């Protein structure tokens, strides 16, 4: 079996037998885990008993298992470490499924321990039994049902190895109660565990790098399209991205997942691309002649209409996951490896080859980009004084208020998320926590909990919508219990705004069920959970409300009442090409950019 | 887009759930697996070889192949159809009931196909035949007319031709 190799190395038995639950705690400690997000139940009581007996690992009690996974994701995303979840069998495990799927889609390393009924009762419809490995097989990177206590330490360490290496993802370990209670003297350390079948290529092949450099160095209209892989690779990859962009002078756009990998203030940054990306980023993608995709996966929110996606470019795709290559967009030069290693190799090859882009072509390309930029696609009109607050303005003022601060920002899903992506400026990786692939409403508050637990002295803000926040609102109780100074900044337009926007644009303004009626009083709600509530309705009060929120030493919910029918633009309607962008309400029915988009420079 | 038939070979750790992971990649895309064989091929290392035949569009099949390789217990994947010529073999057990001329005829045809009689009674034979699946299809079609009452097929085992090894 996969343990064959490890068995050959000298394996010492423990002097005294230990129960499975204790072995699990030992493994977590050996893995350097300092916090677990969880919720107890019958099938994990032995584990909770062992947690009680030690002080090294902290347990954060959430109020719903979905939130436990999102909190672990927030922890993982903001630290670069593996997030750990502990839930019970049956409903505990099934509640975790949304979080696991979210982590799988966004490549977030999470290890989720689930309790299970005793192994001799599995399959008998026992109380709180669910086929956890069956249910989580398609929504985890890998999963285990450990039915022998002797295998426990090996599976635990392997799980961490699988979760963090390669393209990161969630790993589930299903732990029958009898296995937690059985005793063993077998304990493998993490160095004794190595799975033969799980081989990850991190170093790119030389041919790939050479081909990429050959294409990039002769490019006339290059673009770097960076994705979440740059964040997952670690802060040094973000540094390398900046270095490569600086030495080549190439423009950079980023996906939703990558925001912060490249500094927003950098002159070469074109903003986010895709469905709600900037005019300049999308048109540069459409018109480029060489595209360097580093750690992104050509998601459908990015590409729009596939057969018109960047039709005339040489596409270089750098990804640690070979199955991402040619999945939706056919590429010319695939490079398999870690984003940081690939960037380092590109930097070295660019230097040693003494390459430089054609200066004349660059001047022309940047002039074109500047012309697109001059459309100022994120512009909006905000009246002052007693005027209603525009949601874009609220985010822009929030951005101004947190500038230069040690801040982590999470979001829920919808219009507010896209405005946050457009108007918040991130200068560093790991500061932006959002649900990209799965688009999980209810992600932001627990993710902020996870980030705040990891960074107790930092400012952690959940930018929310009034609909999304209600999906995991119970986590305000977690916030209260651990005195986490999490700030919830709600853009309240009394709509499921993105649903309403699509109904306006695509379904004849028939607003079916997208009105959020019977909303709670968010100020009183905050107070009910021991926090501070602030309501703001006028432009003149906005800055003070934000300042009060930041200054308050404890949890705050800001109910920021905004213009109700604002749409999120720019927008490439689903299935449309990059040049077919709606820039604002005035031209939402027009095709404003056909000519200039189709014809390059 | 046109669909193509493919034979995949997958080398995996022999552990619980591995077959479900492999099969799930096809089922989740609505692709049917027309033939599937799994057996441990290396007892010391605990390795099993899965041979499966499916059909789909070339792009999707290539993607499924990449996804197969991404599974943690998978050591290697080979698309034997694309790799080059491969030997594909299957074995079948076929029970034929009948008397008199039908019985004699089935025996004669079995002889032509080099099928072996592995059980016999006054009113039945059980034939064992191995060969290419298409050849077995032809044999089965004839036996159907001669009183075939039951059939069990193993599914395809396949290996690439020549000295090279497709499944590294």
């Amino acid at each position: 079996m996969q343990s064959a190799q490890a068995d050959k190395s000298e394996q010492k038995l423990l002097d005294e037998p230990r129960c499975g639950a204790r072995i699990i705690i030992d493994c977590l400690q050996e893995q350097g885990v300092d916090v677990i997000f969880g919720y107890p139940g019958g099938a994990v009581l032995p584990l909770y008993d062992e947690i009680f007996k030690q002080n090294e690992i902290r347990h954060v009690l959430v109020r719903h298992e979905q939130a436990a996974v999102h909190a672990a994701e927030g922890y993982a995303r903001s630290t670069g470490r593996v997030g750990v979840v502990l839930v019970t069998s049956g409903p505990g495990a099934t509640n975790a499924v949304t979080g696991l799927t979210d982590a799988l889609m966004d490549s977030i390393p999470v290890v989720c321990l689930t309790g299970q009924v005793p192994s001799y009762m599995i399959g008998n419809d026992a109380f709180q039994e669910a086929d956890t490995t069956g249910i989580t097989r398609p929504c985890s990177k890998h999963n285990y049902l450990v039915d022998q206590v002797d295998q426990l330490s090996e599976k635990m360490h392997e799980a961490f190895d699988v979760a963090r290496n390669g393209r990161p993802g969630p790993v589930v370990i299903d732990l029958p109660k009898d296995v937690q209670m059985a005793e063993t003297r077998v304990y493998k350390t993490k160095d004794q565990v190595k799975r033969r079948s799980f081989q990850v290529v991190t170093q790119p092949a030389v041919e790939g790098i050479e081909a990429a450099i050959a294409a990039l160095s002769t490019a006339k209209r290059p673009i770097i399209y960076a994705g979440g892989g740059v964040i997952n690779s670690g802060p040094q990859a973000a540094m390398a991205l900046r270095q490569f962009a600086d030495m080549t002078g190439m423009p950079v756009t980023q996906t939703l997942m990558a925001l912060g990998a490249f500094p927003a203030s950098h002159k070469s940054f074109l903003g986010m691309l895709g469905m709600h990306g900037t005019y300049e980023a999308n048109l540069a993608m459409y018109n480029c002649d060489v595209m360097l995709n580093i750690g992104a996966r050509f998601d459908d929110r990015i590409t729009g209409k596939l057969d018109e996606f960047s039709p005339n470019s040489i596409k270089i795709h750098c990804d640690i996951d070979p199955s991402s290559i040619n999945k939706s967009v056919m590429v010319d030069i695939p490079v398999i490896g870690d984003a940081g290693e690939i960037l380092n190799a590109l930097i070295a090859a660019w230097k040693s080859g003494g390459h430089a882009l054609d200066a004349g072509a660059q001047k022309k390309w940047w002039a074109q980009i500047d012309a697109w930029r001059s459309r100022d696609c994120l512009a909006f009109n905000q009246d002052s004084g007693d005027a209603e607050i525009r949601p874009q303005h609220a985010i822009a003022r929030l951005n101004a208020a947190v500038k230069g601060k040690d801040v982590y920002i999470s979001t829920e899903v919808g219009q507010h998320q896209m405005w946050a992506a457009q108007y918040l400026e991130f200068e560093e990786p790991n500061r932006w926590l959002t649900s990209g692939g799965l688009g999980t409403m209810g992600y932001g508050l627990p993710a902020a909990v996870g980030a705040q637990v990891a960074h107790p002295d930092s400012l952690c803000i959940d930018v929310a919508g009034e609909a999304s926040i209600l999906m995991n609102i119970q986590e305000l109780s977690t916030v209260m219990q651990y005195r986490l100074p999490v700030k919830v900044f709600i853009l309240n337009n009394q709509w499921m705004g993105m649903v309403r926007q699509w109904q306006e644009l695509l379904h004849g303004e028939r607003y079916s069920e997208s009105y959020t009626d019977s909303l709670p009083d968010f100020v009183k709600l905050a107070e009910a959970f021991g926090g501070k509530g602030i309501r703001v309705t006028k432009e003149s009060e906005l800055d003070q409300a934000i300042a009060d929120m930041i200054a308050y030493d404890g949890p705050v919910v800001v109910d920021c009442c905004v213009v109700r029918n604002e749409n999120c633009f720019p927008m490439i309607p689903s299935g449309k090409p990059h040049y077919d962008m709606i820039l604002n309400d005035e031209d939402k029915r027009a095709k404003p950019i056909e000519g200039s988009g189709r014809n390059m420079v | 887009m046109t669909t193509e038939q493919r034979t995949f070979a997958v080398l995996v750790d022999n552990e619980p759930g591995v077959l479900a992971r492999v099969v799930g990649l096809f089922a989740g895309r609505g692709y049917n697996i027309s033939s599937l064989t799994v057996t441990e091929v290396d007892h010391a290392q605990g390795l099993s070889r899965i041979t499966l035949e499916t059909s789909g569009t070339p792009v999707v099949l290539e993607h499924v192949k990449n996804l197969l390789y991404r599974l943690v217990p998978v050591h290697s994947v080979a698309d034997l159809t694309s790799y080059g010529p491969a030997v594909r073999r299957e074995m079948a057990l076929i029970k034929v009931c009948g008397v008199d001329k039908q019985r004699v005829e089935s025996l004669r045809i079995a002889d032509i196909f080099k099928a072996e009689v592995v059980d016999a009674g006054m009113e039945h034979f059980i034939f064992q035949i191995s060969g290419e699946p298409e050849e077995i299809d032809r044999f089965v079609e004839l036996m159907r007319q001669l009183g075939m009452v039951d059939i069990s097929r193993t599914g395809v085992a396949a290996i690439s031709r020549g000295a090279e090894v497709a499944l590294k």
Side-chain angles (χ1 to χ4, degrees):
Chain A
M1 306 291 277
Q2 67 277 6
S3 59
Q5 209 172 22
D7 281 342
K8 280 178 207 155
S9 63
E10 198 184 339
Q11 194 192 312
K12 289 186 191 127
L13 292 175
L14 298 169
D15 295 335
E16 293 289 326
R18 289 179 192 170
C19 72
R22 172 69 193 281
I23 296 281
I24 292 165
I25 299 293
D26 291 343
C27 290
L28 293 174
Q29 288 182 356
E30 197 190 331
Q31 289 288 342
V33 173
D34 58 358
V35 61
I36 304 176
F37 301 91
Y39 202 102
V44 281
L45 287 178
L47 249 168
Y48 273 87
D49 207 31
E50 290 300 323
I51 289 173
F52 188 82
K53 293 177 191 163
Q54 55 85 51
N55 287 317
E56 281 76 18
I57 299 175
R58 189 177 170 204
H59 180 274
V60 172
L61 178 69
V62 295
R63 299 303 191 263
H64 187 289
E65 288 89 350
Q66 181 195 350
V69 188
H70 292 327
E73 287 184 271
Y75 174 93
R77 198 66 173 165
S78 67
T79 60
R81 304 170 66 187
V82 178
V84 181
V85 178
L86 171 55
V87 297
T88 193
S89 63
T94 56
N95 276 346
V97 162
T98 300
L100 293 169
T101 313
D102 191 274
L104 183 72
M105 292 285 270
D106 285 345
S107 309
I108 310 294
V110 168
V111 168
C112 178
L113 309 173
T114 58
Q116 182 55 280
V117 301
S119 52
Y120 51 84
M121 291 178 78
I122 290 177
N124 282 1
D125 295 338
F127 177 65
Q128 292 197 328
E129 181 186 356
D131 176 6
T132 302
T133 48
I135 291 168
T136 60
R137 195 173 292 126
C139 68
S140 61
K141 185 176 176 187
H142 194 53
N143 64 15
Y144 303 87
L145 170 63
V146 183
D147 56 359
Q148 305 285 331
V149 70
D150 290 352
Q151 294 180 354
L152 198 46
S153 55
E154 178 180 347
K155 301 297 181 201
M156 284 289 294
H157 290 310
E158 196 183 291
F160 275 85
D161 197 40
V162 170
R164 81 163 67 87
N165 289 317
R167 180 175 177 178
V171 178
V172 175
I173 311 175
D174 205 23
L175 300 158
K177 193 170 184 180
D178 57 325
V179 174
Q180 297 172 43
M181 299 179 80
E183 297 202 323
T184 182
R185 290 178 61 208
V186 178
Y187 183 88
K188 284 185 179 167
T189 62
K190 62 180 179 190
D191 302 329
Q192 290 171 316
V193 176
K194 180 71 196 141
R195 184 155 190 143
R196 282 175 307 140
S197 64
F198 180 64
Q199 300 295 336
V200 177
V201 175
T202 55
Q203 287 291 337
V206 178
E207 311 84 71
I209 296 296
E210 281 172 354
I213 289 289
L216 287 164
S217 61
T218 53
K220 296 208 161 23
R221 302 181 305 278
I223 190 162
I224 299 172
Y225 149 43
V230 179
I231 310 254
N232 275 335
S233 177
Q236 75 290 344
M239 300 280 283
L241 174 62
R242 186 173 185 164
Q243 193 186 344
F244 188 68
D246 281 338
M247 70 198 290
T248 59
M250 292 177 189
V252 179
T253 182
Q254 294 184 130
T255 65
L256 179 71
M257 297 312 298
L259 295 179
F262 193 72
S265 60
H266 198 286
K267 63 176 170 35
S268 300
F269 185 50
L270 306 188
M272 181 176 78
L273 80 162
M275 184 172 276
H276 293 288
T278 65
Y279 187 68
E280 51 270 32
N282 284 329
L283 285 187
M285 285 289 280
Y286 182 79
N287 290 291
C288 68
D289 68 344
V290 179
M291 175 192 300
L292 175 63
N293 169 344
I294 179 92
R297 60 181 174 88
F298 294 110
D299 178 82
D300 56 71
R301 303 290 99 166
I302 297 301
T303 60
K305 192 162 181 270
L306 264 181
D307 56 8
E308 292 201 67
F309 172 70
S310 194
N312 301 311
S313 60
I314 297 172
K315 296 175 186 71
I316 304 162
H317 187 182
C318 310
D319 205 304
I320 199 159
D321 175 5
S323 75
S324 285
I325 306 293
N326 292 340
K327 185 173 66 177
S328 51
V329 171
M330 293 296 147
V331 297
D332 304 281
I333 303 168
V335 184
I336 304 298
D338 170 77
E341 303 283 0
I342 292 171
L343 282 163
N344 288 339
L346 289 173
I347 290 166
W350 190 272
K351 257 188 213 158
S352 66
H355 296 294
L357 291 172
D358 179 284
Q362 280 317 283
K363 211 174 154 195
K364 229 169 132 188
W365 180 225
W366 275 104
Q368 174 63 73
I369 288 170
D370 287 338
W372 290 325
R373 269 178 171 166
S374 68
R375 283 294 292 262
D376 198 6
C377 67
L378 295 178
F380 57 90
N381 290 319
Q382 173 66 56
D383 297 328
S384 54
D386 285 350
E388 279 188 293
I389 302 164
R390 289 207 183 269
Q392 302 93 323
H393 183 66
I395 300 289
R397 294 315 299 161
L398 179 67
N399 182 58
V402 301
K403 201 155 212 165
K405 287 196 159 63
D406 174 16
V407 62
Y408 294 86
I409 296 185
S410 64
T411 73
E412 311 287 336
V413 167
Q415 284 185 321
H416 69 275
Q417 178 192 27
M418 291 299 111
W419 283 315
Q422 289 171 337
Y423 294 95
L424 294 174
E425 296 167 310
F426 295 94
E427 301 295 313
E428 291 173 20
N430 304 99
R431 299 284 178 166
W432 165 247
L433 324 165
T434 198
S435 170
L438 194 63
T440 311
M441 292 169 74
Y443 171 88
L445 179 54
V449 166
Q452 190 78 76
V453 166
H455 310 277
D457 300 324
S458 305
L459 178 59
C460 294
I461 304 173
D462 171 29
V463 174
E466 85 289 342
S468 281
I469 191 67
L470 289 177
M471 283 218 184
N472 268 322
I473 193 71
Q474 76 286 344
E475 294 311 308
L476 284 176
S477 182
T478 309
V479 166
M480 176 159 78
Q481 179 175 348
Y482 297 94
R483 296 190 176 84
L484 301 172
V486 166
K487 321 297 182 198
V488 181
F489 189 76
I490 302 172
L491 296 183
N492 184 349
N493 60 3
Q494 300 168 54
W495 287 106
M496 294 159 210
M498 195 58 95
V499 175
R500 191 207 60 76
Q501 177 169 344
W502 279 55
Q503 287 173 333
E504 178 186 325
L505 297 175
L506 302 165
H507 295 275
E509 303 184 27
R510 292 180 295 279
Y511 299 125
S512 180
E513 302 295 324
S514 52
Y515 180 66
T516 41
D517 202 347
S518 304
L519 285 168
D521 179 332
F522 285 108
V523 172
K524 284 188 186 154
L525 185 78
E527 289 164 359
F529 281 104
K532 179 183 171 76
I534 300 173
R535 177 167 298 114
V536 54
T537 56
K538 297 178 205 166
E539 194 280 332
S540 58
E541 298 166 346
L542 178 62
D543 282 350
Q544 190 58 50
I546 292 171
D548 290 348
M549 173 186 86
I550 293 171
Y552 186 73
D553 184 21
V556 182
V557 175
V558 176
D559 184 14
C560 183
C561 303
V562 297
V563 174
R564 299 204 42 223
N565 292 339
E566 195 75 5
N567 283 324
C568 185
F569 294 121
M571 178 180 181
I572 302 172
S574 200
K576 296 281 184 167
H578 277 174
Y579 56 80
D580 207 351
M581 217 174 314
I582 304 172
L583 282 183
N584 50 48
D585 275 313
E586 282 75 53
D587 71 2
K588 74 184 178 194
R589 301 247 185 274
K591 289 185 180 178
I593 42 175
E594 225 159 2
S596 67
R598 281 188 206 274
N599 308 319
M600 174 46 216
V601 192
Chain B
M1 232 191 287
T2 53
T3 59
E4 291 178 6
Q5 172 95 15
R6 292 284 170 89
T7 306
F8 287 108
V10 191
L11 196 64
V12 300
D13 283 323
N14 182 13
E15 63 180 31
V18 64
L19 184 60
R21 288 178 211 285
V22 168
V23 170
L25 288 180
F26 292 86
R29 282 162 183 76
Y31 280 20
N32 190 33
I33 293 172
S34 54
S35 169
L36 175 68
T37 63
V38 195
T39 299
E40 192 168 81
V41 291
D42 185 333
H43 300 306
Q45 304 273 331
L47 294 175
S48 286
R49 178 162 169 142
I50 299 173
T51 309
L52 63 85
E53 298 205 329
T54 187
S55 54
T57 63
V59 173
V60 175
L61 288 173
E62 182 65 22
H63 185 222
V64 170
K65 182 187 152 191
N66 290 335
L67 287 176
L68 282 172
Y69 186 68
R70 196 168 79 163
L71 296 174
V72 169
V74 168
H75 287 251
S76 51
V77 185
D79 174 350
L80 294 178
T81 311
S82 305
Y83 181 82
V87 179
R88 292 161 62 243
R89 289 292 181 272
E90 187 178 3
M91 198 263 269
L93 296 170
I94 293 157
K95 186 179 287 184
V96 180
C97 288
V99 289
D100 300 336
K101 272 164 81 178
Q102 259 195 343
R103 193 171 149 75
V104 178
E105 190 60 19
S106 68
L107 206 55
R108 276 168 40 129
I109 290 173
D111 193 42
I112 293 166
F113 277 82
K114 297 193 171 61
E116 200 180 324
V117 176
V118 290
D119 188 44
M122 294 311 290
E123 295 181 349
H124 84 283
F125 287 120
I126 298 176
F127 297 114
Q128 173 187 315
I129 181 171
S130 63
E132 290 191 338
E134 294 76 13
E135 189 191 354
I136 293 175
D137 287 343
R138 286 193 290 277
F139 182 66
V140 166
E141 201 39 56
L142 292 170
M143 288 297 124
R144 202 182 295 283
Q145 299 165 41
L146 294 169
M148 184 181 85
V149 294
D150 200 6
I151 176 166
S152 173
R153 295 175 69 152
T154 57
V156 175
I159 204 160
S160 62
R161 288 189 186 271
E164 300 256 311
V165 178
L167 192 67
K168 300 256 166 26

